[in-house]
PDB file of all heavy atoms in Angstrom:
ATOM      1  N   ASN C   1     -25.194  18.883  -6.313  1.00 90.00           N
ATOM      2  CA  ASN C   1     -25.848  17.582  -6.527  1.00 90.00           C
ATOM      3  C   ASN C   1     -26.996  17.658  -7.363  1.00 90.00           C
ATOM      4  O   ASN C   1     -27.872  16.821  -7.446  1.00 90.00           O
ATOM      5  CB  ASN C   1     -26.107  16.842  -5.182  1.00 90.00           C
ATOM      6  CG  ASN C   1     -27.068  17.633  -4.305  1.00 90.00           C
ATOM      7  OD1 ASN C   1     -27.482  18.706  -4.724  1.00 90.00           O
ATOM      8  ND2 ASN C   1     -27.277  17.119  -3.129  1.00 90.00           N
ATOM      9  N   PHE C   2     -27.233  18.826  -8.121  1.00 89.00           N
ATOM     10  CA  PHE C   2     -28.196  18.942  -9.156  1.00 89.00           C
ATOM     11  C   PHE C   2     -27.958  17.923 -10.184  1.00 89.00           C
ATOM     12  O   PHE C   2     -26.839  17.559 -10.538  1.00 89.00           O
ATOM     13  CB  PHE C   2     -28.222  20.350  -9.756  1.00 89.00           C
ATOM     14  CG  PHE C   2     -29.274  20.583 -10.726  1.00 89.00           C
ATOM     15  CD1 PHE C   2     -30.646  20.403 -10.449  1.00 89.00           C
ATOM     16  CD2 PHE C   2     -29.015  21.034 -12.044  1.00 89.00           C
ATOM     17  CE1 PHE C   2     -31.651  20.673 -11.428  1.00 89.00           C
ATOM     18  CE2 PHE C   2     -29.955  21.305 -13.024  1.00 89.00           C
ATOM     19  CZ  PHE C   2     -31.254  21.037 -12.634  1.00 89.00           C
ATOM     20  N   MET C   3     -29.027  17.341 -10.822  1.00 89.00           N
ATOM     21  CA  MET C   3     -28.939  16.187 -11.716  1.00 89.00           C
ATOM     22  C   MET C   3     -28.021  16.431 -12.920  1.00 89.00           C
ATOM     23  O   MET C   3     -27.508  15.550 -13.539  1.00 89.00           O
ATOM     24  CB  MET C   3     -30.242  15.730 -12.229  1.00 89.00           C
ATOM     25  CG  MET C   3     -31.062  16.637 -12.976  1.00 89.00           C
ATOM     26  SD  MET C   3     -32.684  16.017 -13.440  1.00 89.00           S
ATOM     27  CE  MET C   3     -33.394  17.351 -14.450  1.00 89.00           C
ATOM     28  N   SER C   4     -27.787  17.793 -13.308  1.00 90.00           N
ATOM     29  CA  SER C   4     -26.862  18.085 -14.450  1.00 90.00           C
ATOM     30  C   SER C   4     -25.538  18.515 -14.002  1.00 90.00           C
ATOM     31  O   SER C   4     -24.842  19.192 -14.734  1.00 90.00           O
ATOM     32  CB  SER C   4     -27.537  19.139 -15.352  1.00 90.00           C
ATOM     33  OG  SER C   4     -28.688  18.641 -16.000  1.00 90.00           O
ATOM     34  N   SER C   5     -25.168  18.141 -12.753  1.00 91.00           N
ATOM     35  CA  SER C   5     -23.953  18.643 -12.251  1.00 91.00           C
ATOM     36  C   SER C   5     -23.348  17.467 -11.448  1.00 91.00           C
ATOM     37  O   SER C   5     -23.680  16.371 -11.535  1.00 91.00           O
ATOM     38  CB  SER C   5     -24.089  19.828 -11.328  1.00 91.00           C
ATOM     39  OG  SER C   5     -22.891  20.361 -10.875  1.00 91.00           O
ATOM     40  N   ARG C   6     -22.282  17.756 -10.569  1.00 94.00           N
ATOM     41  CA  ARG C   6     -21.756  16.838  -9.645  1.00 94.00           C
ATOM     42  C   ARG C   6     -21.094  17.646  -8.530  1.00 94.00           C
ATOM     43  O   ARG C   6     -20.526  18.731  -8.798  1.00 94.00           O
ATOM     44  CB  ARG C   6     -20.741  15.856 -10.333  1.00 94.00           C
ATOM     45  CG  ARG C   6     -19.449  16.549 -10.749  1.00 94.00           C
ATOM     46  CD  ARG C   6     -18.510  15.599 -11.442  1.00 94.00           C
ATOM     47  NE  ARG C   6     -17.256  16.244 -11.695  1.00 94.00           N
ATOM     48  CZ  ARG C   6     -16.333  15.866 -12.675  1.00 94.00           C
ATOM     49  NH1 ARG C   6     -16.652  14.777 -13.413  1.00 94.00           N
ATOM     50  NH2 ARG C   6     -15.209  16.508 -12.799  1.00 94.00           N
ATOM     51  N   ASN C   7     -21.055  17.145  -7.349  1.00 95.00           N
ATOM     52  CA  ASN C   7     -20.426  17.840  -6.180  1.00 95.00           C
ATOM     53  C   ASN C   7     -19.119  17.215  -5.773  1.00 95.00           C
ATOM     54  O   ASN C   7     -18.743  17.285  -4.586  1.00 95.00           O
ATOM     55  CB  ASN C   7     -21.440  17.871  -4.994  1.00 95.00           C
ATOM     56  CG  ASN C   7     -21.762  16.446  -4.413  1.00 95.00           C
ATOM     57  OD1 ASN C   7     -21.150  15.466  -5.005  1.00 95.00           O
ATOM     58  ND2 ASN C   7     -22.629  16.334  -3.519  1.00 95.00           N
ATOM     59  N   TYR C   8     -18.449  16.713  -6.771  1.00 96.00           N
ATOM     60  CA  TYR C   8     -17.060  16.130  -6.600  1.00 96.00           C
ATOM     61  C   TYR C   8     -16.231  16.229  -7.777  1.00 96.00           C
ATOM     62  O   TYR C   8     -16.657  16.413  -8.914  1.00 96.00           O
ATOM     63  CB  TYR C   8     -17.236  14.691  -6.088  1.00 96.00           C
ATOM     64  CG  TYR C   8     -17.989  13.872  -7.114  1.00 96.00           C
ATOM     65  CD1 TYR C   8     -17.355  13.102  -8.157  1.00 96.00           C
ATOM     66  CD2 TYR C   8     -19.399  13.704  -7.074  1.00 96.00           C
ATOM     67  CE1 TYR C   8     -18.036  12.338  -9.066  1.00 96.00           C
ATOM     68  CE2 TYR C   8     -20.124  12.945  -7.974  1.00 96.00           C
ATOM     69  CZ  TYR C   8     -19.407  12.294  -8.954  1.00 96.00           C
ATOM     70  OH  TYR C   8     -20.166  11.558  -9.879  1.00 96.00           O
ATOM     71  N   SER C   9     -14.950  16.229  -7.601  1.00 96.00           N
ATOM     72  CA  SER C   9     -14.016  16.144  -8.779  1.00 96.00           C
ATOM     73  C   SER C   9     -13.623  14.707  -9.012  1.00 96.00           C
ATOM     74  O   SER C   9     -14.026  13.677  -8.302  1.00 96.00           O
ATOM     75  CB  SER C   9     -12.707  16.916  -8.414  1.00 96.00           C
ATOM     76  OG  SER C   9     -11.955  16.192  -7.364  1.00 96.00           O
ATOM     77  N   VAL C  10     -12.962  14.482 -10.148  1.00 97.00           N
ATOM     78  CA  VAL C  10     -12.529  13.160 -10.555  1.00 97.00           C
ATOM     79  C   VAL C  10     -11.535  12.649  -9.516  1.00 97.00           C
ATOM     80  O   VAL C  10     -11.633  11.429  -9.131  1.00 97.00           O
ATOM     81  CB  VAL C  10     -11.785  13.171 -11.906  1.00 97.00           C
ATOM     82  CG1 VAL C  10     -11.270  11.802 -12.228  1.00 97.00           C
ATOM     83  CG2 VAL C  10     -12.937  13.534 -13.034  1.00 97.00           C
ATOM     84  N   ASN C  11     -10.688  13.477  -9.000  1.00 97.00           N
ATOM     85  CA  ASN C  11      -9.680  13.055  -7.957  1.00 97.00           C
ATOM     86  C   ASN C  11     -10.449  12.588  -6.729  1.00 97.00           C
ATOM     87  O   ASN C  11     -10.140  11.577  -6.093  1.00 97.00           O
ATOM     88  CB  ASN C  11      -8.767  14.187  -7.569  1.00 97.00           C
ATOM     89  CG  ASN C  11      -7.736  14.417  -8.735  1.00 97.00           C
ATOM     90  OD1 ASN C  11      -7.355  13.481  -9.435  1.00 97.00           O
ATOM     91  ND2 ASN C  11      -7.313  15.655  -8.955  1.00 97.00           N
ATOM     92  N   GLU C  12     -11.496  13.415  -6.333  1.00 97.00           N
ATOM     93  CA  GLU C  12     -12.238  12.997  -5.100  1.00 97.00           C
ATOM     94  C   GLU C  12     -12.968  11.682  -5.324  1.00 97.00           C
ATOM     95  O   GLU C  12     -13.072  10.872  -4.364  1.00 97.00           O
ATOM     96  CB  GLU C  12     -13.243  14.130  -4.740  1.00 97.00           C
ATOM     97  CG  GLU C  12     -12.595  15.420  -4.212  1.00 97.00           C
ATOM     98  CD  GLU C  12     -13.465  16.610  -4.193  1.00 97.00           C
ATOM     99  OE1 GLU C  12     -14.448  16.653  -4.929  1.00 97.00           O
ATOM    100  OE2 GLU C  12     -13.222  17.490  -3.437  1.00 97.00           O
ATOM    101  N   TYR C  13     -13.526  11.485  -6.481  1.00 97.00           N
ATOM    102  CA  TYR C  13     -14.201  10.268  -6.806  1.00 97.00           C
ATOM    103  C   TYR C  13     -13.280   9.130  -6.638  1.00 97.00           C
ATOM    104  O   TYR C  13     -13.631   8.110  -5.982  1.00 97.00           O
ATOM    105  CB  TYR C  13     -14.701  10.333  -8.209  1.00 97.00           C
ATOM    106  CG  TYR C  13     -15.218   9.032  -8.904  1.00 97.00           C
ATOM    107  CD1 TYR C  13     -16.506   8.566  -8.578  1.00 97.00           C
ATOM    108  CD2 TYR C  13     -14.408   8.322  -9.689  1.00 97.00           C
ATOM    109  CE1 TYR C  13     -16.941   7.409  -9.119  1.00 97.00           C
ATOM    110  CE2 TYR C  13     -14.863   7.131 -10.217  1.00 97.00           C
ATOM    111  CZ  TYR C  13     -16.185   6.631  -9.981  1.00 97.00           C
ATOM    112  OH  TYR C  13     -16.643   5.459 -10.528  1.00 97.00           O
ATOM    113  N   CYS C  14     -12.072   9.136  -7.115  1.00 98.00           N
ATOM    114  CA  CYS C  14     -11.181   8.063  -7.084  1.00 98.00           C
ATOM    115  C   CYS C  14     -10.701   7.741  -5.681  1.00 98.00           C
ATOM    116  O   CYS C  14     -10.596   6.624  -5.238  1.00 98.00           O
ATOM    117  CB  CYS C  14      -9.935   8.348  -8.040  1.00 98.00           C
ATOM    118  SG  CYS C  14     -10.275   8.494  -9.787  1.00 98.00           S
ATOM    119  N   VAL C  15     -10.419   8.777  -4.964  1.00 98.00           N
ATOM    120  CA  VAL C  15     -10.007   8.621  -3.526  1.00 98.00           C
ATOM    121  C   VAL C  15     -11.067   7.954  -2.779  1.00 98.00           C
ATOM    122  O   VAL C  15     -10.869   7.020  -1.959  1.00 98.00           O
ATOM    123  CB  VAL C  15      -9.570   9.960  -2.936  1.00 98.00           C
ATOM    124  CG1 VAL C  15      -9.471   9.821  -1.415  1.00 98.00           C
ATOM    125  CG2 VAL C  15      -8.344  10.471  -3.512  1.00 98.00           C
ATOM    126  N   ASP C  16     -12.363   8.408  -2.885  1.00 97.00           N
ATOM    127  CA  ASP C  16     -13.480   7.872  -2.111  1.00 97.00           C
ATOM    128  C   ASP C  16     -13.693   6.425  -2.516  1.00 97.00           C
ATOM    129  O   ASP C  16     -14.052   5.590  -1.679  1.00 97.00           O
ATOM    130  CB  ASP C  16     -14.787   8.731  -2.367  1.00 97.00           C
ATOM    131  CG  ASP C  16     -14.743   9.944  -1.575  1.00 97.00           C
ATOM    132  OD1 ASP C  16     -13.663  10.296  -0.972  1.00 97.00           O
ATOM    133  OD2 ASP C  16     -15.768  10.635  -1.497  1.00 97.00           O
ATOM    134  N   VAL C  17     -13.576   6.066  -3.828  1.00 98.00           N
ATOM    135  CA  VAL C  17     -13.768   4.651  -4.220  1.00 98.00           C
ATOM    136  C   VAL C  17     -12.738   3.696  -3.555  1.00 98.00           C
ATOM    137  O   VAL C  17     -13.042   2.748  -2.934  1.00 98.00           O
ATOM    138  CB  VAL C  17     -13.725   4.567  -5.754  1.00 98.00           C
ATOM    139  CG1 VAL C  17     -13.569   3.128  -6.169  1.00 98.00           C
ATOM    140  CG2 VAL C  17     -15.043   5.105  -6.332  1.00 98.00           C
ATOM    141  N   VAL C  18     -11.487   4.164  -3.708  1.00 98.00           N
ATOM    142  CA  VAL C  18     -10.365   3.306  -3.238  1.00 98.00           C
ATOM    143  C   VAL C  18     -10.435   3.213  -1.730  1.00 98.00           C
ATOM    144  O   VAL C  18     -10.315   2.081  -1.134  1.00 98.00           O
ATOM    145  CB  VAL C  18      -9.051   3.903  -3.676  1.00 98.00           C
ATOM    146  CG1 VAL C  18      -7.814   3.237  -2.970  1.00 98.00           C
ATOM    147  CG2 VAL C  18      -8.838   3.876  -5.153  1.00 98.00           C
ATOM    148  N   GLU C  19     -10.698   4.313  -1.011  1.00 98.00           N
ATOM    149  CA  GLU C  19     -10.794   4.303   0.361  1.00 98.00           C
ATOM    150  C   GLU C  19     -11.967   3.420   0.865  1.00 98.00           C
ATOM    151  O   GLU C  19     -11.915   2.688   1.913  1.00 98.00           O
ATOM    152  CB  GLU C  19     -10.968   5.725   0.962  1.00 98.00           C
ATOM    153  CG  GLU C  19     -10.718   5.866   2.430  1.00 98.00           C
ATOM    154  CD  GLU C  19     -10.664   7.349   2.895  1.00 98.00           C
ATOM    155  OE1 GLU C  19     -11.572   8.086   2.363  1.00 98.00           O
ATOM    156  OE2 GLU C  19      -9.715   7.682   3.574  1.00 98.00           O
ATOM    157  N   GLY C  20     -13.087   3.544   0.154  1.00 97.00           N
ATOM    158  CA  GLY C  20     -14.271   2.791   0.497  1.00 97.00           C
ATOM    159  C   GLY C  20     -14.075   1.293   0.370  1.00 97.00           C
ATOM    160  O   GLY C  20     -14.500   0.506   1.310  1.00 97.00           O
ATOM    161  N   VAL C  21     -13.362   0.801  -0.663  1.00 98.00           N
ATOM    162  CA  VAL C  21     -13.043  -0.584  -0.753  1.00 98.00           C
ATOM    163  C   VAL C  21     -12.069  -1.032   0.320  1.00 98.00           C
ATOM    164  O   VAL C  21     -12.352  -2.118   0.939  1.00 98.00           O
ATOM    165  CB  VAL C  21     -12.440  -0.869  -2.124  1.00 98.00           C
ATOM    166  CG1 VAL C  21     -11.956  -2.305  -2.278  1.00 98.00           C
ATOM    167  CG2 VAL C  21     -13.486  -0.468  -3.270  1.00 98.00           C
ATOM    168  N   MET C  22     -11.063  -0.315   0.550  1.00 97.00           N
ATOM    169  CA  MET C  22     -10.101  -0.627   1.576  1.00 97.00           C
ATOM    170  C   MET C  22     -10.694  -0.786   3.029  1.00 97.00           C
ATOM    171  O   MET C  22     -10.362  -1.683   3.783  1.00 97.00           O
ATOM    172  CB  MET C  22      -8.973   0.401   1.681  1.00 97.00           C
ATOM    173  CG  MET C  22      -8.011   0.436   0.513  1.00 97.00           C
ATOM    174  SD  MET C  22      -6.755   1.660   0.684  1.00 97.00           S
ATOM    175  CE  MET C  22      -5.950   1.183   2.123  1.00 97.00           C
ATOM    176  N   THR C  23     -11.634   0.207   3.322  1.00 96.00           N
ATOM    177  CA  THR C  23     -12.164   0.175   4.678  1.00 96.00           C
ATOM    178  C   THR C  23     -12.921  -1.070   5.013  1.00 96.00           C
ATOM    179  O   THR C  23     -12.692  -1.619   6.133  1.00 96.00           O
ATOM    180  CB  THR C  23     -13.164   1.396   4.778  1.00 96.00           C
ATOM    181  OG1 THR C  23     -12.490   2.609   4.526  1.00 96.00           O
ATOM    182  CG2 THR C  23     -13.851   1.404   6.163  1.00 96.00           C
ATOM    183  N   VAL C  24     -13.610  -1.664   4.088  1.00 96.00           N
ATOM    184  CA  VAL C  24     -14.327  -2.872   4.298  1.00 96.00           C
ATOM    185  C   VAL C  24     -13.391  -4.016   4.318  1.00 96.00           C
ATOM    186  O   VAL C  24     -13.500  -4.927   5.182  1.00 96.00           O
ATOM    187  CB  VAL C  24     -15.427  -3.044   3.280  1.00 96.00           C
ATOM    188  CG1 VAL C  24     -16.137  -4.432   3.446  1.00 96.00           C
ATOM    189  CG2 VAL C  24     -16.516  -1.967   3.393  1.00 96.00           C
ATOM    190  N   LEU C  25     -12.527  -4.202   3.301  1.00 97.00           N
ATOM    191  CA  LEU C  25     -11.812  -5.388   3.151  1.00 97.00           C
ATOM    192  C   LEU C  25     -10.628  -5.477   4.225  1.00 97.00           C
ATOM    193  O   LEU C  25     -10.266  -6.606   4.589  1.00 97.00           O
ATOM    194  CB  LEU C  25     -11.140  -5.442   1.717  1.00 97.00           C
ATOM    195  CG  LEU C  25     -12.247  -5.577   0.627  1.00 97.00           C
ATOM    196  CD1 LEU C  25     -11.565  -5.663  -0.759  1.00 97.00           C
ATOM    197  CD2 LEU C  25     -13.172  -6.695   0.817  1.00 97.00           C
ATOM    198  N   ASP C  26     -10.044  -4.429   4.582  1.00 96.00           N
ATOM    199  CA  ASP C  26      -9.008  -4.446   5.612  1.00 96.00           C
ATOM    200  C   ASP C  26      -9.605  -4.924   6.963  1.00 96.00           C
ATOM    201  O   ASP C  26      -8.827  -5.623   7.731  1.00 96.00           O
ATOM    202  CB  ASP C  26      -8.419  -3.023   5.836  1.00 96.00           C
ATOM    203  CG  ASP C  26      -7.428  -2.659   4.715  1.00 96.00           C
ATOM    204  OD1 ASP C  26      -7.171  -3.517   3.935  1.00 96.00           O
ATOM    205  OD2 ASP C  26      -7.042  -1.484   4.644  1.00 96.00           O
ATOM    206  N   GLU C  27     -10.882  -4.602   7.232  1.00 95.00           N
ATOM    207  CA  GLU C  27     -11.474  -5.168   8.464  1.00 95.00           C
ATOM    208  C   GLU C  27     -11.391  -6.724   8.487  1.00 95.00           C
ATOM    209  O   GLU C  27     -11.293  -7.339   9.469  1.00 95.00           O
ATOM    210  CB  GLU C  27     -12.932  -4.691   8.589  1.00 95.00           C
ATOM    211  CG  GLU C  27     -13.165  -3.246   8.810  1.00 95.00           C
ATOM    212  CD  GLU C  27     -14.618  -2.873   8.826  1.00 95.00           C
ATOM    213  OE1 GLU C  27     -15.505  -3.798   8.619  1.00 95.00           O
ATOM    214  OE2 GLU C  27     -14.943  -1.728   8.991  1.00 95.00           O
ATOM    215  N   GLN C  28     -11.613  -7.280   7.209  1.00 94.00           N
ATOM    216  CA  GLN C  28     -11.746  -8.727   7.145  1.00 94.00           C
ATOM    217  C   GLN C  28     -10.491  -9.383   6.593  1.00 94.00           C
ATOM    218  O   GLN C  28     -10.528 -10.628   6.304  1.00 94.00           O
ATOM    219  CB  GLN C  28     -12.992  -8.987   6.258  1.00 94.00           C
ATOM    220  CG  GLN C  28     -14.275  -8.474   6.792  1.00 94.00           C
ATOM    221  CD  GLN C  28     -15.476  -8.867   5.956  1.00 94.00           C
ATOM    222  OE1 GLN C  28     -15.569 -10.100   5.619  1.00 94.00           O
ATOM    223  NE2 GLN C  28     -16.352  -7.967   5.709  1.00 94.00           N
ATOM    224  N   LYS C  29      -9.414  -8.600   6.513  1.00 96.00           N
ATOM    225  CA  LYS C  29      -8.145  -9.060   6.053  1.00 96.00           C
ATOM    226  C   LYS C  29      -8.237  -9.840   4.752  1.00 96.00           C
ATOM    227  O   LYS C  29      -7.725 -10.914   4.545  1.00 96.00           O
ATOM    228  CB  LYS C  29      -7.511  -9.937   7.117  1.00 96.00           C
ATOM    229  CG  LYS C  29      -7.167  -9.224   8.455  1.00 96.00           C
ATOM    230  CD  LYS C  29      -6.511 -10.155   9.476  1.00 96.00           C
ATOM    231  CE  LYS C  29      -6.027  -9.366  10.644  1.00 96.00           C
ATOM    232  NZ  LYS C  29      -7.033  -8.572  11.279  1.00 96.00           N
ATOM    233  N   ILE C  30      -8.916  -9.158   3.769  1.00 97.00           N
ATOM    234  CA  ILE C  30      -9.102  -9.717   2.437  1.00 97.00           C
ATOM    235  C   ILE C  30      -8.211  -8.951   1.535  1.00 97.00           C
ATOM    236  O   ILE C  30      -8.123  -7.709   1.618  1.00 97.00           O
ATOM    237  CB  ILE C  30     -10.620  -9.654   2.023  1.00 97.00           C
ATOM    238  CG1 ILE C  30     -11.458 -10.567   2.905  1.00 97.00           C
ATOM    239  CG2 ILE C  30     -10.741 -10.051   0.540  1.00 97.00           C
ATOM    240  CD1 ILE C  30     -12.922 -10.541   2.691  1.00 97.00           C
ATOM    241  N   ASP C  31      -7.646  -9.562   0.515  1.00 97.00           N
ATOM    242  CA  ASP C  31      -6.756  -8.958  -0.446  1.00 97.00           C
ATOM    243  C   ASP C  31      -7.589  -7.944  -1.236  1.00 97.00           C
ATOM    244  O   ASP C  31      -8.773  -8.100  -1.507  1.00 97.00           O
ATOM    245  CB  ASP C  31      -6.168  -9.986  -1.420  1.00 97.00           C
ATOM    246  CG  ASP C  31      -5.162 -10.875  -0.749  1.00 97.00           C
ATOM    247  OD1 ASP C  31      -4.677 -10.557   0.288  1.00 97.00           O
ATOM    248  OD2 ASP C  31      -4.885 -11.989  -1.345  1.00 97.00           O
ATOM    249  N   HIS C  32      -6.848  -6.844  -1.541  1.00 98.00           N
ATOM    250  CA  HIS C  32      -7.575  -5.748  -2.350  1.00 98.00           C
ATOM    251  C   HIS C  32      -7.733  -6.272  -3.737  1.00 98.00           C
ATOM    252  O   HIS C  32      -6.746  -6.691  -4.426  1.00 98.00           O
ATOM    253  CB  HIS C  32      -6.755  -4.530  -2.265  1.00 98.00           C
ATOM    254  CG  HIS C  32      -6.583  -3.976  -0.933  1.00 98.00           C
ATOM    255  ND1 HIS C  32      -5.682  -2.942  -0.598  1.00 98.00           N
ATOM    256  CD2 HIS C  32      -7.265  -4.204   0.302  1.00 98.00           C
ATOM    257  CE1 HIS C  32      -5.777  -2.630   0.713  1.00 98.00           C
ATOM    258  NE2 HIS C  32      -6.734  -3.377   1.223  1.00 98.00           N
ATOM    259  N   PRO C  33      -8.914  -6.017  -4.410  1.00 98.00           N
ATOM    260  CA  PRO C  33      -9.118  -6.471  -5.749  1.00 98.00           C
ATOM    261  C   PRO C  33      -8.673  -5.427  -6.798  1.00 98.00           C
ATOM    262  O   PRO C  33      -8.250  -4.295  -6.445  1.00 98.00           O
ATOM    263  CB  PRO C  33     -10.695  -6.500  -5.846  1.00 98.00           C
ATOM    264  CG  PRO C  33     -11.180  -5.520  -4.870  1.00 98.00           C
ATOM    265  CD  PRO C  33     -10.125  -5.502  -3.742  1.00 98.00           C
ATOM    266  N   ILE C  34      -8.656  -5.837  -8.006  1.00 98.00           N
ATOM    267  CA  ILE C  34      -8.524  -4.871  -9.114  1.00 98.00           C
ATOM    268  C   ILE C  34      -9.865  -4.096  -9.288  1.00 98.00           C
ATOM    269  O   ILE C  34     -10.842  -4.764  -9.478  1.00 98.00           O
ATOM    270  CB  ILE C  34      -8.192  -5.618 -10.433  1.00 98.00           C
ATOM    271  CG1 ILE C  34      -6.879  -6.323 -10.332  1.00 98.00           C
ATOM    272  CG2 ILE C  34      -8.112  -4.604 -11.567  1.00 98.00           C
ATOM    273  CD1 ILE C  34      -6.628  -7.337 -11.461  1.00 98.00           C
ATOM    274  N   ILE C  35      -9.799  -2.847  -9.111  1.00 98.00           N
ATOM    275  CA  ILE C  35     -10.994  -1.993  -9.257  1.00 98.00           C
ATOM    276  C   ILE C  35     -11.223  -1.684 -10.722  1.00 98.00           C
ATOM    277  O   ILE C  35     -10.306  -1.249 -11.396  1.00 98.00           O
ATOM    278  CB  ILE C  35     -10.905  -0.677  -8.416  1.00 98.00           C
ATOM    279  CG1 ILE C  35     -10.822  -1.007  -6.935  1.00 98.00           C
ATOM    280  CG2 ILE C  35     -12.054   0.214  -8.742  1.00 98.00           C
ATOM    281  CD1 ILE C  35     -10.550   0.287  -6.102  1.00 98.00           C
ATOM    282  N   ILE C  36     -12.397  -1.971 -11.229  1.00 98.00           N
ATOM    283  CA  ILE C  36     -12.811  -1.590 -12.563  1.00 98.00           C
ATOM    284  C   ILE C  36     -13.957  -0.567 -12.504  1.00 98.00           C
ATOM    285  O   ILE C  36     -14.840  -0.684 -11.653  1.00 98.00           O
ATOM    286  CB  ILE C  36     -13.263  -2.769 -13.326  1.00 98.00           C
ATOM    287  CG1 ILE C  36     -12.254  -3.819 -13.500  1.00 98.00           C
ATOM    288  CG2 ILE C  36     -13.860  -2.388 -14.705  1.00 98.00           C
ATOM    289  CD1 ILE C  36     -12.621  -5.198 -14.045  1.00 98.00           C
ATOM    290  N   THR C  37     -13.847   0.509 -13.343  1.00 98.00           N
ATOM    291  CA  THR C  37     -14.989   1.347 -13.466  1.00 98.00           C
ATOM    292  C   THR C  37     -15.314   1.362 -15.058  1.00 98.00           C
ATOM    293  O   THR C  37     -14.469   1.358 -15.891  1.00 98.00           O
ATOM    294  CB  THR C  37     -14.837   2.829 -12.994  1.00 98.00           C
ATOM    295  OG1 THR C  37     -13.755   3.397 -13.782  1.00 98.00           O
ATOM    296  CG2 THR C  37     -14.415   2.861 -11.490  1.00 98.00           C
ATOM    297  N   GLU C  38     -16.598   1.538 -15.303  1.00 97.00           N
ATOM    298  CA  GLU C  38     -17.044   1.542 -16.689  1.00 97.00           C
ATOM    299  C   GLU C  38     -17.533   3.016 -17.000  1.00 97.00           C
ATOM    300  O   GLU C  38     -18.588   3.289 -17.405  1.00 97.00           O
ATOM    301  CB  GLU C  38     -18.230   0.619 -16.846  1.00 97.00           C
ATOM    302  CG  GLU C  38     -17.815  -0.837 -16.675  1.00 97.00           C
ATOM    303  CD  GLU C  38     -18.971  -1.762 -16.733  1.00 97.00           C
ATOM    304  OE1 GLU C  38     -20.079  -1.338 -17.099  1.00 97.00           O
ATOM    305  OE2 GLU C  38     -18.792  -2.987 -16.404  1.00 97.00           O
TER     306      GLU C  38
END
């Protein structure tokens, strides 16, 4: 987690993002959105 590095892979990033969105919205029974990253 040094500022010129990262402690995750692209695959891990994508899984964590998708899982994080699902965890909150499934609790409230809200449809899953289209995820955009820039």
Side-chain angles (χ1 to χ4, degrees):
N1 59 3
F2 182 56
M3 63 182 181
S4 291
S5 185
R6 70 181 186 203
N7 62 5
Y8 55 91
S9 67
V10 173
N11 288 328
E12 290 167 335
Y13 169 82
C14 296
V15 168
D16 281 11
V17 164
V18 172
E19 192 172 49
V21 174
M22 289 179 63
T23 299
V24 173
L25 297 186
D26 285 350
E27 290 175 2
Q28 303 184 43
K29 296 182 173 54
I30 293 175
D31 290 342
H32 297 166
I34 298 170
I35 295 172
I36 297 173
T37 66
E38 299 174 8

